[in-house]
């Protein structure tokens, strides 16, 4: 099963990969959207068919706690029907909210396939596919049901990361990596901590951090202080030397310069084939597994993106037949410089 940037998918079969063009690391949403307060509320408005309300609430609470343990954020469930909350959570089937009316907001697809998706702050929504078999426990395949039983804690924890403002990480050990369910990652890793603290800062967990720092513990006991006093020792964020610059796009790439906000479409290959080809899409060398609500829509041979800072980059489609690449096309998307409002 594979995670999508704001969606989670369950896929069977071998993945085709290309080498990463950038260093593995967390990614924050391109516009820096985040909650402006730390005491965030959430509300479950529709419950799943396969899990009791109590177990659903427990799984969602555990998922939120994974992030409150490593950030200044606190999360409180709202249960009163007439009271609103920051993040609305629901289990839906097929068409829900406005997914048929918006090409960049995917609908659910029944059993298996897409499992869940989330939206950035301040929209604050997490949707789960109610056709799935949700459980409180590790994901596993049920021969009796003939379907995957999906760990709601793991799926929810990944989607909560998106609802707080995180994109996918390039670190394969991270909870926010798109393949987190495939690797069995259930807890936040150091890369996830760097990402969430880059957005919201960090907290010292001990009251004696100042005396320890004055004793030189920030230098002499760095690992200890990083765990208990990251703010006092300025150890909250990823070191700058861990970040590398992207490599240049290939020379044969078609370059498109487009205005911010424009929807750009690509089509891979031709339709006139007896056997539909297997198409894989990549951005800057990393495979795009699923659509990203509001940013990227993938439907077989067709890819659509909204031009913005996050979506700038090189997109490549590869057509495979019998396991071999038969053709590939690439497009580089660059934002058109905006005109200054001041006319001199």
């Amino acid at each position: 099963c594979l995670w999508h940037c704001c969606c989670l998918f369950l896929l069977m079969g071998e993945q085709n990969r290309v080498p990463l063009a950038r260093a593995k690391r967390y990614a924050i949403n391109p516009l820096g959207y985040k909650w402006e307060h730390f005491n965030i509320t959430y509300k479950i408005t529709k419950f799943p068919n396969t899990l009791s309300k109590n177990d659903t609430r427990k799984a969602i609470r555990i998922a939120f706690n994974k992030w409150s343990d490593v950030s200044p954020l606190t999360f409180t469930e709202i249960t009163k029907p007439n009271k609103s909350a920051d993040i609305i959570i629901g289990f839906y089937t097929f068409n829900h909210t406005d997914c048929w009316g918006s090409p960049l907001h995917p609908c659910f697809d029944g059993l298996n396939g897409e499992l869940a998706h989330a939206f950035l702050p301040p929209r604050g929504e997490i949707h789960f596919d109610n056709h799935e078999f949700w459980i409180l426990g590790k994901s596993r395949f049920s021969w009796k049901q003939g379907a995957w039983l999906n760990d709601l804690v793991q799926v929810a924890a990944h989607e909560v990361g998106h609802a707080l403002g995180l994109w996918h990480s390039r670190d394969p050990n991270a909870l926010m990596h798109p393949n987190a369910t495939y690797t069995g990652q259930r807890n936040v890793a150091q890369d996830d901590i760097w990402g969430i603290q880059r957005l919201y800062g960090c907290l010292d967990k001990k009251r004696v951090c100042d005396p320890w720092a004055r004793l030189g513990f920030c230098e002499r006991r760095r690992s200890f202080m990083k765990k208990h006093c990251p703010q006092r020792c300025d150890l909250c964020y990823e070191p700058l030397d861990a970040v590398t610059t992207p490599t240049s796009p290939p020379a044969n790439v078609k370059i498109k310069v487009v205005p911010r906000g424009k929807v750009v479409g690509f089509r891979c290959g031709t339709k006139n084939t007896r056997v539909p080809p297997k198409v894989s899409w990549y951005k800057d060398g990393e495979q795009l597994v699923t659509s990203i609500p509001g940013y990227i829509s993938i439907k077989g041979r067709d890819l659509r993106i909204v031009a913005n800072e996050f979506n700038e980059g090189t997109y490549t489609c590869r057509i495979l037949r019998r396991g071999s690449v038969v053709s590939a096309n690439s497009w580089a998307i660059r934002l058109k410089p905006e005109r200054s409002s001041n006319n001199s």
Side-chain angles (χ1 to χ4, degrees), residues 101-218:
S102 172
L104 297 174
H105 173 192
C107 299
F108 286 131
D109 52 7
L111 189 62
N112 296 329
E114 185 182 352
L115 302 183
H117 53 237
F119 296 85
L120 295 171
R123 177 164 176 173
E125 292 182 41
I126 302 176
H127 302 161
F128 298 90
D129 189 344
N130 201 25
H131 277 123
E132 307 296 341
F133 287 86
W134 297 104
I135 62 170
L136 182 58
K138 291 187 176 181
S139 296
R140 61 186 183 274
F141 187 79
S142 169
W143 293 103
K144 180 179 179 181
Q145 301 285 358
W148 280 92
L149 309 182
N150 299 299
D151 178 6
L152 181 56
V153 172
Q154 185 183 45
V155 177
H158 180 96
E159 297 303 328
V160 166
H162 289 314
L164 298 178
L166 293 178
W167 261 179
H168 275 157
S169 168
R170 296 177 183 272
D171 186 339
N173 297 314
L175 177 63
M176 295 310 296
H177 191 270
N179 294 356
T181 55
Y182 186 80
T183 61
Q185 178 61 281
R186 204 170 188 259
N187 299 308
V188 294
Q190 181 59 63
D191 194 72
D192 303 304
I193 297 172
W194 276 329
I196 198 67
Q197 291 182 351
R198 179 68 68 179
L199 272 176
Y200 296 101
C202 61
L203 285 179
D204 291 336
K205 299 185 182 300
K206 300 289 186 181
R207 294 184 179 179
V208 289
C209 288
D210 281 341
W212 285 347
R214 287 194 291 270
L215 289 172
F217 281 17
C218 291

Side-chain angles (χ1 to χ4, degrees), residues 5-22:
C5 185
C6 285
C7 299
L8 183 137
F9 272 67
L10 183 67
L11 303 179
M12 310 292 183
E14 185 179 356
Q15 302 170 60
N16 295 297
R17 296 194 169 277
V18 294
L20 295 182
R22 289 185 284 194

